[in-house]
Every structure is written in structure tokens, then in C-alpha cells.
Amino acid sequence: MKNYQLAWRNLWRNKRRTLITAASVFFAVFFALVMRSFQLGTYEKMYRDVIESYSGYLQLQHSDYLDESNLDNGFVLEQPLTDIIESDPNVTGVIPKLESFALAASGSRTQGVMVIGMDPDNEQKTLNIKNRLIKYRLTPDATEALKEEKLPARTAKLVDVFSGEAWTDEKSLISDLGISDDDSAAVMPLFRKHASLDSRYLTSADSGSAVIGYGLSRYLSADVGDTLVVMGQGYHGVSAAGLFVIKGIVSMPNPEIDNAFVYITLADAQYLYAASGMVTSAIISISDTDDKELLQTQQRLAASCNSGLVIRNWKEMNALLLNQMEADNKSGAIMIGILYLVIAFGVFGTVLMMMAERRREFGMLVSIGMQKRKLAGIVGMEMLFIGLLGVVAGVAASLPVVYYGYARPLRFTGEMAKMYEEYGFEPVMPMLLPDTYYLWQAVIVLLILLIAITFSVRRIFKLNIINALRA
Amino acid sequence: MKVVEINDVFKTYHDTEVEVKAVNGVTLSFERGDFAVIVGPSGSGKTTLLNLIGGLDQPTAGEIIVAGHRLSELKPSELIDFRMEHVGFVFQSYNLIPVLTASENVGFIMSLQKWPKEKRIARTDEMLQSVGLADRHKSRPAQLSGGQQQRVAVARALAPRPEFILADEPTANLDTKSAETLLDIMEKLNREEEMTFIFSTHDARVVKRARRVITLEDGKVVSDERTNHNS
Ligand SMILES: Nc1ncnc2c1ncn2[C@@H]1O[C@H](COP(=O)(O)OP(=O)(O)OP(=O)(O)O)[C@@H](O)[C@H]1O
Ligand SMILES: [Mg+2]
């Protein structure tokens, strides 16, 4: 009889206890993984959104700009420097940007905004503003009008749920509103009639036009074709004022940006702020965005910067967001810690019970000549089996959930969504595909097992045969 | 030939406030082929003495020599190997490994001793036959009666041919018929295999069958009689 065979049979001798213990490990692993996947996926999405729609991975800035983000810390971007940066193997483009605060008004409402001036053609090399143009939106009027029409029951209900939302493409609209392929031919014309928006992107030749965020458009009740009045302070304190016709509305993923986003051409921005030839930063787009490669590229580029200019990476530029996520991450880790603590106690309880129940048997086995280390090996193997069963089942069960949550991110609506947006988060929780965090869960469970095994092995080595036999 | 020599052995327990001299100066020896019982009132030290002989416990003073081994000289893990190689144990109850079948239980010590598989299987079959349980070789302990379990335990203890068998009240939990059957089997094996048996018992049925009766009182041998049973 081999040790593992004996261990295997012992497992099924108290089937219920084995299964309950394995199940508790299973649930811990499953919940920890799903929770972790949600958390990490949400962080990642938030980082990606900010990077892709706003900051980029790397920026060329004046060294003081990070602390005091105003025009006075702007600079003139010389072509030779641009050329040097663009010659780096990892760099795909340099996009000069002039950015400053202003007040924007349309009709009777005014709102503090962020005016961003970039060359539209150049911009498309890195940010995805053009892809964020809104094609459909459910304004209150559009919602009412659609409810008058004959819609499939499911879609009619979802129109209410999604009232106020906007879509950048037809596919996501169809999927969100549950429009089936059969209905599509009849329903889509209705949406085109009531809910479509003729949103256009800027061209380099455009002058006096702007593209604004969807959140801002709602706050100002401003629509495509309306005029936006922008007032602010220009370079060296001169006053800046301009009129811009809204040409397009974009949906920026980060609500804070979406509520304050005013995009005009670089030339318009330089004129508005009386900062001819100046920029506040240049986004450097790169092809390999991996952490390590990113830092190496940053170092390479830093070497070629003239005095006063520095290269900042996205982490340095988004310290606030990172801190926020870090704090959230800690509270998540504590939750998982508590979960595992409960499980550890459960496993420990099982071990204690098992050891007490089998004391006599252990005494008998050592009496008739089984070495304690062999016995300890068998008992350790039993616990390892239970633990692995739980871990493997937990991982297996989490995979479909995680892959589904990755492919179809959870989207909040209604009150939940409002709460999220108030905190400056998009109400979407995508999941992160299996990564090192999976490994960590396994390591934690194995550690708990190791402690339980160590405990029982010690008990076995300290077993007093005479007392065990008398038990 | 002497199988066990016990020279002026003491065992004192200090567990409680009072000191208990469980074995109080015993000198005894057992010969090959003995069929001996140790009797005496409860608390007289029978179990303690058997535990000392079997190397489950170490004496406070004195010397025990089994098959040329001075037990006091063995380290704990050597003592376990010593038991595996030289001593067969039959306890009052809970002898068997619950997850193993009768034949796996019988073969267990032989596999600890790393017998070749064919020899082990042959010997297991032979022993199950001897104790009359050849047809139950696939049964788990829970499926066997108390008497049958004790017979499997005897078969297991005997199978690897130890120096002797120690049995602490092996019939205590058995009805008369089962006890008689068990004793018949042990007597037969004592005769056929020339196996030495040392029992402790309160059971008159066992005492009646013994060829040597050792009486303990307060940890001391008060009589050691050889009878001439030849049943
Ligand atoms: N582990 C121990 N710790 C303390 N005292 C013990 C221990 N084992 C036995 N004793 C004491 O030693 C004495 C002898 O006990 P032992 O079990 O050897 O008697 P016994 O003859 O086998 O009795 P019984 O017929 O009831 O089985 C008793 O007084 C008992 O209380
Ligand atoms: Mg006793």
C-alpha cells in the first residue's frame, strides 16, 4: 500500500468533512479571484482611459509644469528636438498640445472647462478622440419620441433604463438596447430619426470650431451647431476670449474629463491664449507601452532634452488617480485578507477535529511500526489533496466568469451609475484576465495549508503512543 | 531459548500528585513457544508491563532485552523499527486500519517491512485461511464483527513472523463463542508456527487455556505458574 493510496482513501472516509473543507477553500478562491479581477480590471480600465484619451504614456513638459500647470510654464517646441524624439525606435509620434483652464458659456449656463488645443490630424496618431464622437444619444426628447413609436417590449424598457446615455457606434447601441437582428431593420430607422447626432471631427483647417465632451454638453444644454463662449487668462496675464461653434460631441470615458472637455485646434488655442508658437506639453506616443520599456524610453528621451524640459510618464502625471486606486486596492486587499482568515480558521478547525478523532488510530499505527514521518507524510498529503481540490475547482469556476466579465463588462445604470460618476468614475467594471493575481491566490491558500500541515505534523511527532492508545 | 528477558524493571508515573509505581521490580523471562497470560486486579500493572516489553514505553529503571536488543539503548525511531520487525501487537479494540480491506490489513506490516509482493500475498492468504476468514478478504473492518476483526488483527500480527505476540485483553470485547474461536486460532498458531504469545487478561476463558499464568499485584509478580494444559 503506497502512502498516497492510503491518503486518498482516508480522504473519502469522511466524505462530508472533506467536501465541506474543500468547498470552503473553493469559495474563498473563487470569490477572491472574481473580486480581484473586478478590482484590477477597473483600475486598468481607468488608467487606460486616462492615458488613451488624455495624458498619453509620455509627455514632454517644462520641469515646473507638473506642479504648476499653467501657460507661464509653457515652452516653444523646436523642430530639432521633435526630430530627435521621433527618431527613437519606440516613439511613433510627437503631438504638441496647448492646454489651459477657462470658463465656457452657452445660453445661460457657465462651466469651468479645460481647453485643449491640438492639431487634429496629428492628434489621431495617439489619442482616440475621433473614435469617441457620439453617433446616438437618448436625450429626454428622444426618449419620449421613441416611446411613442412601436418598439419591441424589451427595447422600449431599455430605452427608459438608458435614457441620458450616448453611443459612439451602432453596434454597442444595438447590443445595449437588446435589438435583435430581426427587429433591427424596423427599429434602427426610428433611432436614426430621433436619437442620431451629426457629430463631426475637427480638421486642421477648421478655425473657430470646437468638439466638446458629452457631460459638458448636457450641463450647458449645448448642442452641435450652438456657439460656445470661452473666457480665460492668456499668456502673461492677458485676457483671452473666443467664440467657437460646436461641431462635434465626444464621449470621454473619464467623467471628470468628459464634464470639462473643450477641444480646439492648436492654432486656435495659441491665438485664444495669445501664446503664439507655444505649447504646454507634447504627448509622445510609443509603440511598446510595457512598464519596463516605458521607463527605458523615458530615460533615453530625457537624455536628449534641453534644459528646463523633462519627460514625464503617465504615472507621474496621474499621481492623484494612482493614489486613489492604491487606497481602493488596499481596502480590497483587507477584504480578501478577512475572507482568507475565515477560511484559515475553517481549515484549522477541520484539522483539529481530524487529529482528535484519529488519535487512537495514529497511536495504533505507530505502535505496530509505522514511522512518524511516514504517518505525517500521509496526513500532509491528505490536506494537500483537499486544498488543491478547492484551489483547482475555484480557479476553474472563476475562469468562465472572468472571461465573460472581460468580454462584457458589468455596466451600472441608475442610482449606482450616478454614485460612480460623482466619484469621477465611469460606471463600468470590466474584469482583468488571469494574471499574476491568480498565482497570488494559490500562494496564499498554499501558505494556509502549509501552516495547517505544519501544525498536524508537529502534533504527530509529539504524539505520545501510550496516551493515544488509552484514549 | 529466551525471547524476552526482564531484569528488575520499574515504571513510575509522576503524572498526578501521587507517585504511582505501576511496575515495581519485575524480573521475568519468556521462552520461545510460550503461551502465557498475565493476570491481576485492575491497576496491577499488566498493561504497563506489556507496553514495556513491546517497546512502547521505556522503564524508569531496569533492563529489557528482546531478541538481543537492549530496548533502553534504542532511539525513538529505532524503537519504532524494532516494533515493526520483532513485535506483533493485538489490542483490545480498534486494531485495524479502517480504510483497508482485511487482506490489506494483514499485509500491512509486511509491506512496511518491504516484503516482495508475491511472498506477501501468499503469506496474507495463508494467514487469512488460518484465522478462517479467507472468504472475507475484501471486507473493510466496519463490515466485520468484533470477533472477526480480532482474528484479522491476530493474522496481521503473526504474518511477518515476529519474535512474539503481545495481546492486551484481546477477548475483553468479545462474546463467549467469538472468544473461544479466537483462542482456538491462537493456540493452533502457537503450536503450528511455534509463536510466542503473551496476554494480559481478566478473562477466565483465557486463563483456563494458558500454559503459564503470571499474577501481578501492585506492580509485583506474586506468582508464576506453569500448568499443563494440552487442549
Ligand atoms: N500513562 C499513565 N499515567 C499515569 N498513571 C498511569 C498511566 N498508565 C497507567 N497508570 C497507572 O499505573 C497503574 C497500572 O496501570 P495499568 O494500566 O498497567 O493497569 P492494568 O493492570 O492494565 O489495569 P486494567 O486491568 O484495568 O487494565 C494504575 O494505577 C494506573 O492508574
Ligand atoms: Mg490494562
Side-chain angles (χ1 to χ4, degrees), chain A residues 420-436:
Chain A
Y420 262 71
E421 276 169 352
E422 263 163 38
Y423 281 103
F425 300 145
E426 196 189 4
V428 175
M429 285 182 80
M431 296 183 86
L432 187 68
L433 289 184
D435 200 341
T436 43

Side-chain angles (χ1 to χ4, degrees), chain B residues 99-197:
Chain B
V99 295
L100 299 187
T101 63
S103 58
E104 286 165 339
N105 263 293
V106 173
F108 190 76
I109 296 169
M110 291 185 285
S111 37
L112 288 182
Q113 293 181 356
K114 306 210 161 58
W115 282 40
K117 200 174 172 194
E118 305 78 59
K119 271 181 76 184
R120 193 180 74 220
I121 290 171
R123 179 68 172 156
T124 300
D125 290 346
E126 184 190 358
M127 288 316 298
L128 278 172
Q129 199 86 44
S130 270
V131 298
L133 289 172
D135 54 332
R136 303 303 303 271
H137 68 106
K138 275 197 169 142
S139 304
R140 296 262 179 117
Q143 297 161 330
L144 298 172
S145 73
Q148 288 169 332
Q149 288 179 33
Q150 289 304 76
R151 277 144 66 187
V152 175
V154 169
R156 178 185 66 192
L158 243 101
R161 300 197 176 86
E163 299 296 329
F164 56 90
I165 304 275
L166 292 177
D168 194 6
E169 308 200 29
T171 58
N173 291 347
L174 302 184
D175 61 74
T176 302
K177 194 160 164 287
S178 305
E180 293 294 346
T181 314
L182 187 72
L183 284 166
D184 287 344
I185 288 167
M186 290 199 286
E187 259 176 2
K188 182 185 77 174
L189 290 168
N190 169 252
R191 223 173 26 243
E192 286 175 0
E193 305 227 352
E194 229 193 308
M195 181 54 63
T196 314
F197 280 86

Side-chain angles (χ1 to χ4, degrees), chain A residues 466-467 470, chain B residues 13 15 20 22 40-48 169 202:
Chain A
I466 304 296
N467 291 341
R470 280 156 63 100
Chain B
Y13 287 112
D15 289 8
V20 181
S42 182
S44 57
K46 304 183 291 293
T47 299
T48 306
E169 308 200 29
H202 284 288

Side-chain angles (χ1 to χ4, degrees), chain A residues 9 364 366-367 370-371 465, chain B residues 77 81 83 95 99 104:
Chain A
R9 287 203 204 166
M364 179 269 291
V366 178
S367 295
M370 183 183 269
Q371 286 292 351
I465 314 170
Chain B
S77 74
D81 281 339
R83 293 196 295 266
N95 268 294
V99 295
E104 286 165 339

